[in-house]
Amino acid sequence: MIFSCSMPKIARLSGHSDWIELDFVEREWTPSELMKLGIRLHLAGLSLSNTVSELEWFGVNRSRKAVHDWVQKADLQPASDASPDHVALDETVIRINGQQFWLYAAVDPETNEFLHVRLFTTTPTALTQQFLRELREKHDVYDVVFLVDYAQHLAAALQRVGLQFQTIRHGNRNTVERLFREIKRRTSLFSNSFSHADPETAETWLRSFAVWWNSLN
């Protein structure tokens, strides 16, 4: 029987993985439940090395690359078709291999869930409009009030696509700022999530992190 570890270990690894789809699996020797566990543990905060160590408790010996590939191939995406009343919109800088990239995120402040996540090389109004167009394709946000800070490119993009917005610094916007702080903590703490990664790989990890975060709510 594969599930044979101590009660403290089981308690620490508790949680559900129903939100992880393994449609990409063709030939894989690792039981699907443990593949899901590995994905969830890595997204929940464990480094690749520590995730491998945890899986060894279940008699599974896989490499860091194997766990990394599970996350990438699962290609998790935040769910579509939300109908929020407000959306907190923001962007922040993260670094990948010493280069600066801008992470855009739209968050429902009522549910504390990510609605959409994208990574861009810069922050012109055109790319912000692209992010908003993608958001509108996924969710019902035509009558939503967007909550933004004083970044002019955010307000300009919202005006150009005809969406309502309100400029505030605190209140419901605190949600997206807290999530950004958590993302920055993770990406700085576990450099192996982004070491030698290309932007597309990093963006897949960030979307997967968003799905894991949403599963907690």
Side-chain angles (χ1 to χ4, degrees):
M1 183 176 179
I2 58 175
F3 294 104
S4 56
C5 65
S6 64
M7 288 303 293
K9 180 68 65 175
I10 291 172
R12 190 152 65 88
L13 301 183
S14 63
H16 71 88
S17 303
D18 298 343
W19 45 275
I20 301 174
E21 298 290 341
L22 297 180
D23 296 338
F24 66 89
V25 175
E26 295 180 359
R27 296 182 60 189
E28 176 58 60
W29 297 109
T30 308
S32 59
E33 293 85 355
L34 294 181
M35 291 179 66
K36 289 182 177 182
L37 177 63
I39 292 171
R40 180 165 56 81
L41 291 178
H42 181 47
L43 296 176
L46 290 188
S47 66
L48 291 171
S49 296
N50 289 339
T51 300
V52 167
S53 296
E54 294 292 352
L55 291 176
E56 289 174 355
W57 279 81
F58 300 95
V60 172
N61 295 301
R62 300 307 306 264
S63 66
R64 288 170 40 179
K65 182 180 184 303
V67 177
H68 171 271
D69 288 347
W70 294 346
V71 175
Q72 291 294 311
K73 291 179 180 178
D75 194 22
L76 300 169
Q77 304 271 352
S80 301
D81 300 323
S83 299
D85 294 323
H86 296 84
V87 171
L89 175 67
D90 208 348
E91 40 81 14
T92 191
V93 174
I94 64 171
R95 302 192 72 83
I96 303 172
N97 293 331
Q99 291 185 294
Q100 250 185 191
F101 291 85
W102 277 261
L103 171 65
Y104 277 72
V107 174
D108 182 343
E110 296 298 323
T111 63
N112 200 35
E113 292 185 1
F114 286 98
L115 299 173
H116 191 41
V117 177
R118 286 284 272 119
L119 198 64
F120 292 120
T121 55
T122 185
T123 60
T125 301
L127 287 179
T128 307
Q129 289 178 247
Q130 177 182 330
F131 179 85
L132 292 171
R133 284 194 296 269
E134 293 172 2
L135 181 65
R136 288 193 304 185
E137 291 173 359
K138 296 181 63 175
H139 303 287
D140 181 10
V141 295
Y142 286 91
D143 297 322
V144 162
V145 176
F146 283 81
L147 308 176
V148 298
D149 60 13
Y150 291 93
Q152 293 184 352
H153 63 280
L154 295 180
L158 287 162
Q159 285 180 324
R160 289 184 184 181
V161 297
L163 294 172
Q164 305 175 68
F165 68 93
Q166 181 180 353
T167 303
I168 61 173
R169 283 194 177 275
H170 304 291
N172 283 339
R173 266 191 47 78
N174 288 343
T175 300
V176 69
E177 291 170 356
R178 285 196 302 270
L179 295 184
F180 277 152
R181 284 196 295 271
E182 179 64 14
I183 288 173
K184 286 190 173 185
R185 186 185 73 82
R186 295 287 179 85
T187 57
S188 62
L189 185 61
F190 300 130
S191 61
N192 62 1
S193 292
F194 292 95
S195 179
H196 309 298
D198 57 44
E200 184 178 353
T201 298
E203 187 172 53
T204 299
W205 188 93
L206 289 162
R207 286 198 309 265
S208 301
F209 170 83
V211 177
W212 168 80
W213 181 274
N214 291 354
S215 75
L216 303 179
N217 298 295

